[in-house]
Structure formats: C-alpha cells, structure tokens
Amino acid sequence: MVLKRKIYQKLLDWKKESNGKSVLLLDGARRVGKSFLCAQFGTNEYKSMIIVDFGNVGKDVIDIYEHDRNDLDLFFAKLSSFYRTQLHRRESLIVFDEVQLYPKARQLLKYLVADGRYDYIETGSLLSLKNNVQDIVIPSEEEHLEVFPLDFEEFLWALGDETTVALLKTCFENRKPLGQAIHRKVMNDFRQYILVGGMPQAIVEYISEKDFASVDRIKRRILTLYRNDINKYAGASKNRVTAVFDALPGQLSKKEKKYRLSAINKDARLRSYEDAFMWLDDAMIVNPCFNTTDPGIGLALSSDHNTQKVYMADTGLLVTHAFWDNEYIDNELYRAILLDRLSINEGMLMENAVAQMLRCNGHRLFFYSRTDIEHRQNMMEIDFLITREKKVCPIEVKSSTYRQHSSLDKFRRKYSSRLGDAFILYTKDVMIKDGVIHLPIYMAMFL
C-alpha cells in the first residue's frame, strides 16, 4: 500500500525551484517514512535513481567515497557500475540514506551540487549530534525539510476518505457546527488515529488487518528500535536518555504535566539531564514545549528552558509506550479511547495529539504557567500558546464534561492587548461561548 503524503508536493517544489542548485535534507525520526518517500519520489519523477544506504553499505562503496571523490567522472562511473544503474544528466536522483552514519558523504555534497549533473536528497536522524558533524563542513547548499508522522488528514486519505477535511475546514473558517452525525463519525476516525498513530508501518498494518493487536506489535518494534538507538548512539548519556524516555508516559499522565526530574531521581538536576532532552529532541522522538514567562509575538524570547513539558512525537507510540510492560489486551487506553471514557490521566493522549498537530503545522511549542502560592487567585496554566496574525492565541485542551476555564479567563484579562482568538479544544462540536472559540479536537489541524 502506498501512503499519500503532503510532503511529496514539497519535494516536487524543491525539484522545480532548485534545478540542481541545492541538495534536499529530509530529517525525521526513525521509521517515519523518509526512505520510502525518497524511493517513491525517485521512481516517479526521474529517469533513474541510486539509493546509497549508509546503514547497510559495504566497503566497496565506502572506498569509492574515500578514494575517488576528487575525480567525479570516475566517482560516478564506479557508483553507476556498483548499483548497475545508468545515470542521466539532470534526469537522475542520488539518495544518501541515513547520511549521519557517514558524515563525509554529507560534506562531499557541496562539490556534487557544484558539479550539477544530478539531483541529491539526504535522509537522516540525529543529524546535529556533535559526533555526526565534527570534522566536516556542512554544505551551505542544503535545504532542510522535517518529516513528521502522518497527520490526521493523511490518515483519512489512507482510510480512503479525501473529502471530509474540506468540509471540516469550511466549518472551522465559518465557525459553524458540523452537526452530530458528521462530528460523531469524524471523532470515531480521530480516536482510531490516536490509537494507531502516524507511523507508516502502523497505518499500513491497520488498513490491512483492522486489528489493534497487530498494530501494537508494530509500534513495540519501533519503540525497541528507539531504545537500541539510544544505547548505540547516545554515548555516555545513554542511561540518562533512557531514564527520561521511560518516564515520559508517567510525566504526561499527571494533571501537572511539567517534566519533573525528581520523578527519575530526587537528586537529579537539569544541568545533568539537559543533553538527554536535547538528544530525544534531535532524534525527533519527542516534541518539547517550553514555558514562556512574558507571552508576546516572539514567544521564544521569554521561554524558560528550565520549565518544559515533553510530549511524544507520535501519540500512537505513546499509547504503546504507556503500557510497555503489559500485553496489548491489558492496555486500558485502547478501551478508554474507543468507548469515549477517558479519565483525566488518559486525557494526556488528547493533549499529546494537539502538540503533535501543532508541531506538524510548523509551530514550536510553548505554554504559560504562573505559580503564586501566596496569592492562589493569580495562579494559571495555559496548555499551548501560538501566534496567528501577529497576535498570541491561547489554547486549552479540555474534556467534554469540563465546567469552567478559569485559567483562560485570567490569562485573557491579564494579556488582553496582546491576544487574538482564544481556543478550547474538546470532544464536542463547534461552539462560541463567552468569547472563546470551542473546537472539536481534530480541528487543531487548522491552527
């Protein structure tokens, strides 16, 4: 099954606009579909293609890079012979897959692009880790694209539905409810998306088998791969990275979702674990969300990196990660989601899904938290802040039975001159009440 991806259009745009003057770097978590995307693109859009997989490359190919890079005629002749693929000037694509495993190839691309014969795409993860960039000059010719798990619209495409999102967008833009029948159907699809997640292998398995147990096995294999990568590539930090990674579901299941290092070790300090958070972020396994202390248009300007929430980059993986030590049949999150019986703790999935959708839309993640023990009336917490049309927009994620939004009200009063629309994302239909736009949670895709 071939999954339709939005990023494919960006590849087409790069091919047309670059015309061989740049190399495209696809950065993303492992198993997010980078290699398949390149293979599909090369097959569809070029006369021929060579994929050099540095995760499984032999000495013969490395020798070509080591000894023939100063003679590009010979370099291409040997590469073409080894892969038994004829290369055509301006009509062939060469893919450097998992390029972080052989950084010298990344540096060579500066000269390959200047030569101008062919197009080049790199794929990789952990691309900015020190040991993957030391002793090389990163080519200025690189254009960078991040590859995320499939979003909800892409999931609907995989289910064969290419029409619903257009209706959803119309209702979002006009602030009109969908009606219970349509909303119920879309929420059912969204619940499936939360449980399956956006990793291509998991989606293909679900479409084929319609069996959450087999999907769970796929996700366990992906999580095991991440653990193995931590042990293999995190070096001296591997124990701390593993500890942060293992604690993610527990941290997110709390009402107070700010990451508490004391849950790992009562003596833990941020300076000791900072590299661990950065490693997981660089691997695109997590989506960090930082507290902004003085919310304005430049949210990053007042961000406090000592206070953060850490979401999983894929909500489907979070579902499996949360019950890592139990069999699928014991995973209560599947039942809670499918039967619409989420408790506060299980509501972490909805908040994580919003973080995932906002990040996929290009937002860096920020929240607002103010603690004032002596004057509790001043305490407030806003789940997410984004900027739209040069205004700050607060976003709260609520259950369908919520009764009030006191933090949002206090925040709107305090920063009224800076704010645009205020949103509550929940599991009911579109509604505007008390000046707050209430949206079904799946409409986070439009924010």
Side-chain angles (χ1 to χ4, degrees), residues 49-80:
M49 169 183 58
I50 288 175
I51 298 180
V52 183
D53 179 5
F54 288 107
N56 187 32
V57 71
K59 184 177 182 299
D60 290 339
V61 174
I62 295 299
D63 283 345
I64 295 173
Y65 282 85
E66 291 286 348
H67 303 300
D68 300 310
R69 61 178 179 264
N70 294 322
D71 183 345
L72 292 184
D73 291 337
L74 183 60
F75 175 87
F76 290 126
K78 287 190 175 183
L79 208 60
S80 175

PDB file of all heavy atoms in Angstrom, residues 49-80:
ATOM      1  N   MET A  49      17.536   6.226 -10.587  1.00  0.00           N
ATOM      2  CA  MET A  49      17.803   6.605  -9.190  1.00  0.00           C
ATOM      3  C   MET A  49      18.768   5.601  -8.574  1.00  0.00           C
ATOM      4  O   MET A  49      18.687   4.390  -8.838  1.00  0.00           O
ATOM      5  CB  MET A  49      16.494   6.614  -8.399  1.00  0.00           C
ATOM      6  CG  MET A  49      16.665   6.727  -6.880  1.00  0.00           C
ATOM      7  SD  MET A  49      15.072   6.651  -6.012  1.00  0.00           S
ATOM      8  CE  MET A  49      14.425   5.070  -6.567  1.00  0.00           C
ATOM      9  N   ILE A  50      19.655   6.119  -7.739  1.00  0.00           N
ATOM     10  CA  ILE A  50      20.524   5.278  -6.911  1.00  0.00           C
ATOM     11  C   ILE A  50      20.285   5.660  -5.460  1.00  0.00           C
ATOM     12  O   ILE A  50      20.278   6.853  -5.116  1.00  0.00           O
ATOM     13  CB  ILE A  50      22.013   5.478  -7.266  1.00  0.00           C
ATOM     14  CG1 ILE A  50      22.334   4.852  -8.631  1.00  0.00           C
ATOM     15  CG2 ILE A  50      22.920   4.871  -6.186  1.00  0.00           C
ATOM     16  CD1 ILE A  50      23.755   5.120  -9.098  1.00  0.00           C
ATOM     17  N   ILE A  51      20.058   4.669  -4.608  1.00  0.00           N
ATOM     18  CA  ILE A  51      19.936   4.906  -3.167  1.00  0.00           C
ATOM     19  C   ILE A  51      21.145   4.290  -2.479  1.00  0.00           C
ATOM     20  O   ILE A  51      21.340   3.065  -2.532  1.00  0.00           O
ATOM     21  CB  ILE A  51      18.638   4.310  -2.593  1.00  0.00           C
ATOM     22  CG1 ILE A  51      17.414   4.972  -3.232  1.00  0.00           C
ATOM     23  CG2 ILE A  51      18.603   4.492  -1.068  1.00  0.00           C
ATOM     24  CD1 ILE A  51      16.091   4.432  -2.726  1.00  0.00           C
ATOM     25  N   VAL A  52      21.971   5.138  -1.883  1.00  0.00           N
ATOM     26  CA  VAL A  52      23.128   4.670  -1.114  1.00  0.00           C
ATOM     27  C   VAL A  52      22.710   4.641   0.349  1.00  0.00           C
ATOM     28  O   VAL A  52      22.550   5.700   0.981  1.00  0.00           O
ATOM     29  CB  VAL A  52      24.350   5.590  -1.318  1.00  0.00           C
ATOM     30  CG1 VAL A  52      25.555   5.034  -0.562  1.00  0.00           C
ATOM     31  CG2 VAL A  52      24.667   5.758  -2.801  1.00  0.00           C
ATOM     32  N   ASP A  53      22.501   3.457   0.891  1.00  0.00           N
ATOM     33  CA  ASP A  53      22.039   3.290   2.271  1.00  0.00           C
ATOM     34  C   ASP A  53      23.245   3.125   3.183  1.00  0.00           C
ATOM     35  O   ASP A  53      23.831   2.045   3.257  1.00  0.00           O
ATOM     36  CB  ASP A  53      21.116   2.071   2.368  1.00  0.00           C
ATOM     37  CG  ASP A  53      20.614   1.830   3.774  1.00  0.00           C
ATOM     38  OD1 ASP A  53      20.895   2.661   4.663  1.00  0.00           O
ATOM     39  OD2 ASP A  53      19.937   0.806   3.998  1.00  0.00           O
ATOM     40  N   PHE A  54      23.612   4.202   3.883  1.00  0.00           N
ATOM     41  CA  PHE A  54      24.790   4.142   4.744  1.00  0.00           C
ATOM     42  C   PHE A  54      24.555   3.329   6.011  1.00  0.00           C
ATOM     43  O   PHE A  54      25.489   3.078   6.761  1.00  0.00           O
ATOM     44  CB  PHE A  54      25.266   5.555   5.079  1.00  0.00           C
ATOM     45  CG  PHE A  54      25.895   6.254   3.907  1.00  0.00           C
ATOM     46  CD1 PHE A  54      25.228   7.273   3.246  1.00  0.00           C
ATOM     47  CD2 PHE A  54      27.139   5.871   3.448  1.00  0.00           C
ATOM     48  CE1 PHE A  54      25.791   7.907   2.156  1.00  0.00           C
ATOM     49  CE2 PHE A  54      27.722   6.501   2.354  1.00  0.00           C
ATOM     50  CZ  PHE A  54      27.041   7.523   1.701  1.00  0.00           C
ATOM     51  N   GLY A  55      23.306   2.903   6.213  1.00  0.00           N
ATOM     52  CA  GLY A  55      23.039   1.990   7.316  1.00  0.00           C
ATOM     53  C   GLY A  55      23.348   0.554   6.969  1.00  0.00           C
ATOM     54  O   GLY A  55      23.407  -0.319   7.841  1.00  0.00           O
ATOM     55  N   ASN A  56      23.565   0.293   5.685  1.00  0.00           N
ATOM     56  CA  ASN A  56      23.818  -1.075   5.233  1.00  0.00           C
ATOM     57  C   ASN A  56      24.689  -1.045   3.980  1.00  0.00           C
ATOM     58  O   ASN A  56      24.357  -1.626   2.951  1.00  0.00           O
ATOM     59  CB  ASN A  56      22.487  -1.783   4.942  1.00  0.00           C
ATOM     60  CG  ASN A  56      22.666  -3.249   4.621  1.00  0.00           C
ATOM     61  OD1 ASN A  56      23.578  -3.895   5.145  1.00  0.00           O
ATOM     62  ND2 ASN A  56      21.826  -3.776   3.742  1.00  0.00           N
ATOM     63  N   VAL A  57      25.801  -0.331   4.078  1.00  0.00           N
ATOM     64  CA  VAL A  57      26.663  -0.138   2.911  1.00  0.00           C
ATOM     65  C   VAL A  57      27.960  -0.919   3.101  1.00  0.00           C
ATOM     66  O   VAL A  57      28.476  -1.047   4.207  1.00  0.00           O
ATOM     67  CB  VAL A  57      26.953   1.357   2.681  1.00  0.00           C
ATOM     68  CG1 VAL A  57      27.884   1.907   3.743  1.00  0.00           C
ATOM     69  CG2 VAL A  57      27.496   1.612   1.290  1.00  0.00           C
ATOM     70  N   GLY A  58      28.455  -1.468   2.000  1.00  0.00           N
ATOM     71  CA  GLY A  58      29.672  -2.272   2.075  1.00  0.00           C
ATOM     72  C   GLY A  58      30.935  -1.454   1.893  1.00  0.00           C
ATOM     73  O   GLY A  58      30.898  -0.260   1.545  1.00  0.00           O
ATOM     74  N   LYS A  59      32.047  -2.101   2.096  1.00  0.00           N
ATOM     75  CA  LYS A  59      33.351  -1.436   1.994  1.00  0.00           C
ATOM     76  C   LYS A  59      33.605  -0.912   0.590  1.00  0.00           C
ATOM     77  O   LYS A  59      34.249   0.127   0.411  1.00  0.00           O
ATOM     78  CB  LYS A  59      34.452  -2.411   2.412  1.00  0.00           C
ATOM     79  CG  LYS A  59      35.848  -1.796   2.449  1.00  0.00           C
ATOM     80  CD  LYS A  59      36.874  -2.803   2.934  1.00  0.00           C
ATOM     81  CE  LYS A  59      38.258  -2.160   3.024  1.00  0.00           C
ATOM     82  NZ  LYS A  59      38.740  -1.661   1.718  1.00  0.00           N
ATOM     83  N   ASP A  60      33.094  -1.613  -0.435  1.00  0.00           N
ATOM     84  CA  ASP A  60      33.341  -1.192  -1.817  1.00  0.00           C
ATOM     85  C   ASP A  60      32.798   0.214  -2.068  1.00  0.00           C
ATOM     86  O   ASP A  60      33.446   1.034  -2.731  1.00  0.00           O
ATOM     87  CB  ASP A  60      32.683  -2.178  -2.793  1.00  0.00           C
ATOM     88  CG  ASP A  60      33.385  -3.523  -2.808  1.00  0.00           C
ATOM     89  OD1 ASP A  60      34.550  -3.566  -2.398  1.00  0.00           O
ATOM     90  OD2 ASP A  60      32.762  -4.519  -3.211  1.00  0.00           O
ATOM     91  N   VAL A  61      31.605   0.495  -1.539  1.00  0.00           N
ATOM     92  CA  VAL A  61      31.024   1.809  -1.748  1.00  0.00           C
ATOM     93  C   VAL A  61      31.779   2.867  -0.942  1.00  0.00           C
ATOM     94  O   VAL A  61      32.041   3.974  -1.439  1.00  0.00           O
ATOM     95  CB  VAL A  61      29.531   1.806  -1.381  1.00  0.00           C
ATOM     96  CG1 VAL A  61      28.946   3.215  -1.462  1.00  0.00           C
ATOM     97  CG2 VAL A  61      28.755   0.873  -2.306  1.00  0.00           C
ATOM     98  N   ILE A  62      32.116   2.537   0.295  1.00  0.00           N
ATOM     99  CA  ILE A  62      32.890   3.483   1.112  1.00  0.00           C
ATOM    100  C   ILE A  62      34.214   3.803   0.443  1.00  0.00           C
ATOM    101  O   ILE A  62      34.675   4.962   0.449  1.00  0.00           O
ATOM    102  CB  ILE A  62      33.114   2.913   2.530  1.00  0.00           C
ATOM    103  CG1 ILE A  62      31.781   2.763   3.267  1.00  0.00           C
ATOM    104  CG2 ILE A  62      34.066   3.807   3.319  1.00  0.00           C
ATOM    105  CD1 ILE A  62      31.032   4.056   3.474  1.00  0.00           C
ATOM    106  N   ASP A  63      34.837   2.811  -0.176  1.00  0.00           N
ATOM    107  CA  ASP A  63      36.106   3.057  -0.872  1.00  0.00           C
ATOM    108  C   ASP A  63      35.937   4.057  -2.014  1.00  0.00           C
ATOM    109  O   ASP A  63      36.840   4.867  -2.282  1.00  0.00           O
ATOM    110  CB  ASP A  63      36.669   1.737  -1.427  1.00  0.00           C
ATOM    111  CG  ASP A  63      37.303   0.879  -0.338  1.00  0.00           C
ATOM    112  OD1 ASP A  63      37.555   1.414   0.763  1.00  0.00           O
ATOM    113  OD2 ASP A  63      37.529  -0.320  -0.586  1.00  0.00           O
ATOM    114  N   ILE A  64      34.786   4.007  -2.700  1.00  0.00           N
ATOM    115  CA  ILE A  64      34.527   4.977  -3.769  1.00  0.00           C
ATOM    116  C   ILE A  64      34.520   6.390  -3.192  1.00  0.00           C
ATOM    117  O   ILE A  64      35.111   7.319  -3.763  1.00  0.00           O
ATOM    118  CB  ILE A  64      33.183   4.666  -4.458  1.00  0.00           C
ATOM    119  CG1 ILE A  64      33.247   3.314  -5.167  1.00  0.00           C
ATOM    120  CG2 ILE A  64      32.821   5.770  -5.447  1.00  0.00           C
ATOM    121  CD1 ILE A  64      31.903   2.852  -5.729  1.00  0.00           C
ATOM    122  N   TYR A  65      33.862   6.555  -2.031  1.00  0.00           N
ATOM    123  CA  TYR A  65      33.799   7.875  -1.394  1.00  0.00           C
ATOM    124  C   TYR A  65      35.170   8.306  -0.868  1.00  0.00           C
ATOM    125  O   TYR A  65      35.530   9.484  -0.937  1.00  0.00           O
ATOM    126  CB  TYR A  65      32.784   7.866  -0.253  1.00  0.00           C
ATOM    127  CG  TYR A  65      31.353   7.968  -0.718  1.00  0.00           C
ATOM    128  CD1 TYR A  65      30.644   6.834  -1.102  1.00  0.00           C
ATOM    129  CD2 TYR A  65      30.717   9.200  -0.816  1.00  0.00           C
ATOM    130  CE1 TYR A  65      29.336   6.928  -1.543  1.00  0.00           C
ATOM    131  CE2 TYR A  65      29.412   9.306  -1.254  1.00  0.00           C
ATOM    132  CZ  TYR A  65      28.725   8.161  -1.623  1.00  0.00           C
ATOM    133  OH  TYR A  65      27.438   8.257  -2.081  1.00  0.00           O
ATOM    134  N   GLU A  66      35.916   7.357  -0.365  1.00  0.00           N
ATOM    135  CA  GLU A  66      37.202   7.690   0.243  1.00  0.00           C
ATOM    136  C   GLU A  66      38.258   8.038  -0.803  1.00  0.00           C
ATOM    137  O   GLU A  66      39.048   8.964  -0.609  1.00  0.00           O
ATOM    138  CB  GLU A  66      37.695   6.512   1.100  1.00  0.00           C
ATOM    139  CG  GLU A  66      36.873   6.256   2.358  1.00  0.00           C
ATOM    140  CD  GLU A  66      37.136   7.297   3.440  1.00  0.00           C
ATOM    141  OE1 GLU A  66      38.107   8.063   3.310  1.00  0.00           O
ATOM    142  OE2 GLU A  66      36.354   7.355   4.405  1.00  0.00           O
ATOM    143  N   HIS A  67      38.273   7.299  -1.915  1.00  0.00           N
ATOM    144  CA  HIS A  67      39.423   7.389  -2.817  1.00  0.00           C
ATOM    145  C   HIS A  67      39.131   8.059  -4.157  1.00  0.00           C
ATOM    146  O   HIS A  67      40.072   8.439  -4.859  1.00  0.00           O
ATOM    147  CB  HIS A  67      39.979   5.983  -3.073  1.00  0.00           C
ATOM    148  CG  HIS A  67      40.371   5.248  -1.829  1.00  0.00           C
ATOM    149  ND1 HIS A  67      41.336   5.719  -0.958  1.00  0.00           N
ATOM    150  CD2 HIS A  67      39.899   4.084  -1.286  1.00  0.00           C
ATOM    151  CE1 HIS A  67      41.466   4.874   0.062  1.00  0.00           C
ATOM    152  NE2 HIS A  67      40.597   3.883  -0.107  1.00  0.00           N
ATOM    153  N   ASP A  68      37.853   8.202  -4.517  1.00  0.00           N
ATOM    154  CA  ASP A  68      37.551   8.712  -5.862  1.00  0.00           C
ATOM    155  C   ASP A  68      36.781  10.027  -5.855  1.00  0.00           C
ATOM    156  O   ASP A  68      36.339  10.489  -6.909  1.00  0.00           O
ATOM    157  CB  ASP A  68      36.743   7.660  -6.649  1.00  0.00           C
ATOM    158  CG  ASP A  68      37.505   6.360  -6.801  1.00  0.00           C
ATOM    159  OD1 ASP A  68      38.674   6.408  -7.222  1.00  0.00           O
ATOM    160  OD2 ASP A  68      36.933   5.289  -6.483  1.00  0.00           O
ATOM    161  N   ARG A  69      36.641  10.639  -4.692  1.00  0.00           N
ATOM    162  CA  ARG A  69      35.819  11.841  -4.632  1.00  0.00           C
ATOM    163  C   ARG A  69      36.469  13.045  -5.321  1.00  0.00           C
ATOM    164  O   ARG A  69      35.785  14.021  -5.620  1.00  0.00           O
ATOM    165  CB  ARG A  69      35.462  12.182  -3.178  1.00  0.00           C
ATOM    166  CG  ARG A  69      36.632  12.468  -2.260  1.00  0.00           C
ATOM    167  CD  ARG A  69      36.123  12.846  -0.864  1.00  0.00           C
ATOM    168  NE  ARG A  69      37.207  13.111   0.068  1.00  0.00           N
ATOM    169  CZ  ARG A  69      37.692  12.220   0.917  1.00  0.00           C
ATOM    170  NH1 ARG A  69      37.191  10.981   0.922  1.00  0.00           N
ATOM    171  NH2 ARG A  69      38.670  12.530   1.741  1.00  0.00           N
ATOM    172  N   ASN A  70      37.766  12.974  -5.565  1.00  0.00           N
ATOM    173  CA  ASN A  70      38.440  14.084  -6.245  1.00  0.00           C
ATOM    174  C   ASN A  70      38.378  13.969  -7.764  1.00  0.00           C
ATOM    175  O   ASN A  70      38.806  14.886  -8.476  1.00  0.00           O
ATOM    176  CB  ASN A  70      39.902  14.176  -5.790  1.00  0.00           C
ATOM    177  CG  ASN A  70      40.014  14.562  -4.319  1.00  0.00           C
ATOM    178  OD1 ASN A  70      39.237  15.382  -3.824  1.00  0.00           O
ATOM    179  ND2 ASN A  70      40.967  13.962  -3.616  1.00  0.00           N
ATOM    180  N   ASP A  71      37.879  12.845  -8.252  1.00  0.00           N
ATOM    181  CA  ASP A  71      37.691  12.652  -9.689  1.00  0.00           C
ATOM    182  C   ASP A  71      36.235  12.252  -9.900  1.00  0.00           C
ATOM    183  O   ASP A  71      35.886  11.070  -9.857  1.00  0.00           O
ATOM    184  CB  ASP A  71      38.630  11.565 -10.203  1.00  0.00           C
ATOM    185  CG  ASP A  71      38.543  11.363 -11.708  1.00  0.00           C
ATOM    186  OD1 ASP A  71      37.573  11.857 -12.328  1.00  0.00           O
ATOM    187  OD2 ASP A  71      39.436  10.695 -12.272  1.00  0.00           O
ATOM    188  N   LEU A  72      35.369  13.241 -10.108  1.00  0.00           N
ATOM    189  CA  LEU A  72      33.935  12.964 -10.131  1.00  0.00           C
ATOM    190  C   LEU A  72      33.512  12.104 -11.316  1.00  0.00           C
ATOM    191  O   LEU A  72      32.548  11.333 -11.214  1.00  0.00           O
ATOM    192  CB  LEU A  72      33.148  14.276 -10.111  1.00  0.00           C
ATOM    193  CG  LEU A  72      33.241  15.078  -8.797  1.00  0.00           C
ATOM    194  CD1 LEU A  72      32.339  16.308  -8.854  1.00  0.00           C
ATOM    195  CD2 LEU A  72      32.881  14.214  -7.593  1.00  0.00           C
ATOM    196  N   ASP A  73      34.215  12.186 -12.452  1.00  0.00           N
ATOM    197  CA  ASP A  73      33.893  11.302 -13.567  1.00  0.00           C
ATOM    198  C   ASP A  73      34.058   9.851 -13.144  1.00  0.00           C
ATOM    199  O   ASP A  73      33.184   9.006 -13.408  1.00  0.00           O
ATOM    200  CB  ASP A  73      34.801  11.595 -14.773  1.00  0.00           C
ATOM    201  CG  ASP A  73      34.514  12.943 -15.413  1.00  0.00           C
ATOM    202  OD1 ASP A  73      33.381  13.449 -15.237  1.00  0.00           O
ATOM    203  OD2 ASP A  73      35.411  13.498 -16.059  1.00  0.00           O
ATOM    204  N   LEU A  74      35.176   9.556 -12.501  1.00  0.00           N
ATOM    205  CA  LEU A  74      35.427   8.195 -12.028  1.00  0.00           C
ATOM    206  C   LEU A  74      34.475   7.829 -10.890  1.00  0.00           C
ATOM    207  O   LEU A  74      33.977   6.697 -10.815  1.00  0.00           O
ATOM    208  CB  LEU A  74      36.890   8.074 -11.569  1.00  0.00           C
ATOM    209  CG  LEU A  74      37.345   6.683 -11.112  1.00  0.00           C
ATOM    210  CD1 LEU A  74      37.184   5.660 -12.236  1.00  0.00           C
ATOM    211  CD2 LEU A  74      38.797   6.733 -10.627  1.00  0.00           C
ATOM    212  N   PHE A  75      34.224   8.786 -10.007  1.00  0.00           N
ATOM    213  CA  PHE A  75      33.306   8.560  -8.876  1.00  0.00           C
ATOM    214  C   PHE A  75      31.938   8.096  -9.370  1.00  0.00           C
ATOM    215  O   PHE A  75      31.405   7.077  -8.927  1.00  0.00           O
ATOM    216  CB  PHE A  75      33.187   9.857  -8.071  1.00  0.00           C
ATOM    217  CG  PHE A  75      32.182   9.811  -6.948  1.00  0.00           C
ATOM    218  CD1 PHE A  75      32.537   9.344  -5.689  1.00  0.00           C
ATOM    219  CD2 PHE A  75      30.871  10.240  -7.146  1.00  0.00           C
ATOM    220  CE1 PHE A  75      31.617   9.305  -4.652  1.00  0.00           C
ATOM    221  CE2 PHE A  75      29.943  10.201  -6.120  1.00  0.00           C
ATOM    222  CZ  PHE A  75      30.324   9.733  -4.873  1.00  0.00           C
ATOM    223  N   PHE A  76      31.370   8.832 -10.328  1.00  0.00           N
ATOM    224  CA  PHE A  76      30.036   8.482 -10.831  1.00  0.00           C
ATOM    225  C   PHE A  76      30.067   7.187 -11.639  1.00  0.00           C
ATOM    226  O   PHE A  76      29.125   6.394 -11.584  1.00  0.00           O
ATOM    227  CB  PHE A  76      29.471   9.619 -11.680  1.00  0.00           C
ATOM    228  CG  PHE A  76      29.099  10.843 -10.892  1.00  0.00           C
ATOM    229  CD1 PHE A  76      29.604  12.088 -11.232  1.00  0.00           C
ATOM    230  CD2 PHE A  76      28.239  10.750  -9.800  1.00  0.00           C
ATOM    231  CE1 PHE A  76      29.265  13.224 -10.502  1.00  0.00           C
ATOM    232  CE2 PHE A  76      27.888  11.878  -9.069  1.00  0.00           C
ATOM    233  CZ  PHE A  76      28.420  13.110  -9.422  1.00  0.00           C
ATOM    234  N   ALA A  77      31.140   6.979 -12.385  1.00  0.00           N
ATOM    235  CA  ALA A  77      31.247   5.749 -13.175  1.00  0.00           C
ATOM    236  C   ALA A  77      31.250   4.527 -12.262  1.00  0.00           C
ATOM    237  O   ALA A  77      30.571   3.520 -12.537  1.00  0.00           O
ATOM    238  CB  ALA A  77      32.505   5.787 -14.034  1.00  0.00           C
ATOM    239  N   LYS A  78      31.999   4.591 -11.168  1.00  0.00           N
ATOM    240  CA  LYS A  78      32.052   3.454 -10.242  1.00  0.00           C
ATOM    241  C   LYS A  78      30.725   3.265  -9.511  1.00  0.00           C
ATOM    242  O   LYS A  78      30.270   2.135  -9.313  1.00  0.00           O
ATOM    243  CB  LYS A  78      33.190   3.658  -9.233  1.00  0.00           C
ATOM    244  CG  LYS A  78      34.567   3.458  -9.815  1.00  0.00           C
ATOM    245  CD  LYS A  78      35.619   3.443  -8.710  1.00  0.00           C
ATOM    246  CE  LYS A  78      36.999   3.113  -9.273  1.00  0.00           C
ATOM    247  NZ  LYS A  78      38.030   3.019  -8.210  1.00  0.00           N
ATOM    248  N   LEU A  79      30.099   4.393  -9.092  1.00  0.00           N
ATOM    249  CA  LEU A  79      28.813   4.304  -8.403  1.00  0.00           C
ATOM    250  C   LEU A  79      27.762   3.689  -9.324  1.00  0.00           C
ATOM    251  O   LEU A  79      26.993   2.808  -8.915  1.00  0.00           O
ATOM    252  CB  LEU A  79      28.384   5.704  -7.952  1.00  0.00           C
ATOM    253  CG  LEU A  79      27.489   5.822  -6.710  1.00  0.00           C
ATOM    254  CD1 LEU A  79      28.173   5.233  -5.482  1.00  0.00           C
ATOM    255  CD2 LEU A  79      27.122   7.284  -6.459  1.00  0.00           C
ATOM    256  N   SER A  80      27.741   4.133 -10.563  1.00  0.00           N
ATOM    257  CA  SER A  80      26.794   3.613 -11.547  1.00  0.00           C
ATOM    258  C   SER A  80      27.018   2.127 -11.776  1.00  0.00           C
ATOM    259  O   SER A  80      26.066   1.335 -11.844  1.00  0.00           O
ATOM    260  CB  SER A  80      26.953   4.379 -12.856  1.00  0.00           C
ATOM    261  OG  SER A  80      26.134   3.833 -13.864  1.00  0.00           O
TER     262      SER A  80
END
